Amino acid sequence: RRRRLLVICPASLRKQWAAELSEKFSLPSFILDARRLKDLAATGRPNPIGRGTGIIILSYEFAARMADALRGVPWHLVIFDEAHKLRNVYKAPETSRAAVLRDALAGRQKLLITATPLQNNLMELYGLISIIDDTYFGSEQAFRAEFGGREEVASQALLARRLEPICK
């Protein structure tokens, strides 16, 4: 019965998300972009963000532009599709799209999905986890000191155990 759901995905996947939510789960969704928001305003209809009238689907770019509106909604779940696009948030400026989204949606339940593997860089894993919870591994320096660049079996096993509750 959770109704405030947000899907953030590449613009090219928005229609696919809407179609699959409808066809496979009979869930209503609403693709929102700048043009659609303008059309709604022109006809006197309210912005659907946070109204619980269906799953809101946004592109990464539009979601970052709508960060203030997203921040004010107590989303039940935020889904990031193609989440690997956020992996470098730890080294991006605070005005980057990834950082803006991380900050706007802090404290919300999140599901990050991707089929793109990490590029043999554990810091990308740190970046993705920081989108979910920026305190999970502590600071970037603490993560690097404990796991960065180590090939030790014990270090890898510790990292795997730490990831069990958060990565599937």
Side-chain angles (χ1 to χ4, degrees):
R1 304 257 182 248
R2 303 292 176 138
R3 297 290 183 214
R4 286 187 302 275
L5 305 174
L6 175 64
V7 174
I8 300 175
C9 62
S12 62
L13 297 179
R14 293 173 303 172
K15 287 182 182 177
Q16 180 181 346
W17 265 95
E20 290 189 17
L21 286 168
S22 177
E23 293 167 9
K24 294 182 174 151
F25 303 104
S26 299
L27 292 172
S29 63
F30 198 88
I31 298 172
L32 191 61
D33 57 19
R35 185 212 251 144
R36 185 98 187 254
L37 195 57
K38 184 179 175 184
D39 291 346
L40 289 171
T43 59
R45 290 182 287 173
N47 182 335
I49 291 180
R51 297 199 179 275
T53 56
I55 299 168
I56 302 295
I57 302 172
L58 305 175
S59 69
Y60 275 99
E61 294 78 14
F62 192 66
R65 286 191 295 175
M66 297 294 293
D68 288 336
L70 299 178
R71 184 177 287 112
V73 178
W75 299 102
H76 292 123
L77 179 65
V78 178
I79 299 167
F80 290 96
D81 190 11
E82 300 294 331
H84 60 276
K85 294 180 177 291
L86 304 171
R87 67 182 173 236
N88 291 322
V89 67
Y90 70 96
K91 64 181 180 181
E94 290 303 307
T95 57
S96 72
R97 179 177 58 207
V100 166
L101 291 173
R102 178 196 59 209
D103 296 344
L105 299 166
R108 308 314 190 284
Q109 292 291 316
K110 297 174 197 82
L111 175 64
L112 279 63
I113 54 179
T114 185
T116 302
L118 300 174
Q119 302 297 312
N120 295 321
N121 180 348
L122 283 181
M123 292 312 295
E124 292 178 358
L125 176 64
Y126 172 82
L128 288 173
I129 298 300
S130 74
I131 295 291
I132 296 170
D133 180 354
D134 65 351
T135 63
Y136 193 77
F137 281 122
S139 70
E140 178 184 343
Q141 294 75 20
F143 181 82
R144 282 185 194 276
E146 190 155 5
F147 305 110
R150 292 190 183 179
E151 298 297 324
E152 301 168 12
V153 174
S155 178
Q156 291 174 357
L158 175 60
L159 179 59
R161 279 194 308 280
R162 292 282 309 276
L163 289 172
E164 280 178 4
I166 203 165
C167 289
K168 303 296 179 207

